[in-house]
Amino acid sequence: HNGCLQAMPGGHHIPLKQRFYRHRQGGAGFATLDATPWPEEPLQMLEVPAGTLVILHGQLPHYSAANTSGISRQAFTLHYVDQACAYAADNWLQTDLV
């Protein structure tokens, strides 16, 4: 009922299907890169105790449903990008907004 984090086992090996990007005029959107259907494998529930560190590959398809439990679900998220990475200027996640 708390919208448990779910992920596709081995999903980081499939081609990137969508990319979240920042619009120049503000806001964000998705660009479709691969329109082939998603694999039919069920997502795996990643149920962990409070305070657990979860590390996901940047290309791993993952999802959290709405929390309908009435008990707060809080998360602290960090995104790590190697400084040698070619980082897109329109990536949704930027260190400073110009």
Side-chain angles (χ1 to χ4, degrees):
H1 298 286
N2 78 346
C4 182
L5 178 63
Q6 302 171 51
M8 180 185 297
H12 60 293
H13 294 293
I14 66 173
L16 187 62
K17 299 183 82 40
Q18 288 184 316
R19 183 175 168 271
F20 198 44
Y21 68 95
R22 184 182 306 273
H23 292 292
R24 286 185 182 178
Q25 59 275 52
F30 280 101
T32 298
L33 306 174
D34 178 0
T36 60
W38 285 92
E40 301 257 345
E41 299 175 33
L43 298 179
Q44 182 175 349
M45 298 288 201
L46 302 177
E47 198 171 346
V48 296
T52 300
L53 172 66
V54 177
I55 299 175
L56 302 177
H57 186 283
Q59 223 169 288
L60 178 68
H62 59 282
Y63 166 80
S64 289
N67 180 0
T68 60
S69 71
I71 299 170
S72 178
R73 175 189 73 201
Q74 298 180 6
F76 182 73
T77 305
L78 298 172
H79 293 258
Y80 174 80
V81 179
D82 189 301
Q83 100 180 24
C85 176
Y87 200 74
D90 68 344
N91 191 292
W92 73 278
L93 188 59
Q94 295 293 323
T95 56
D96 69 316
L97 302 175
V98 182

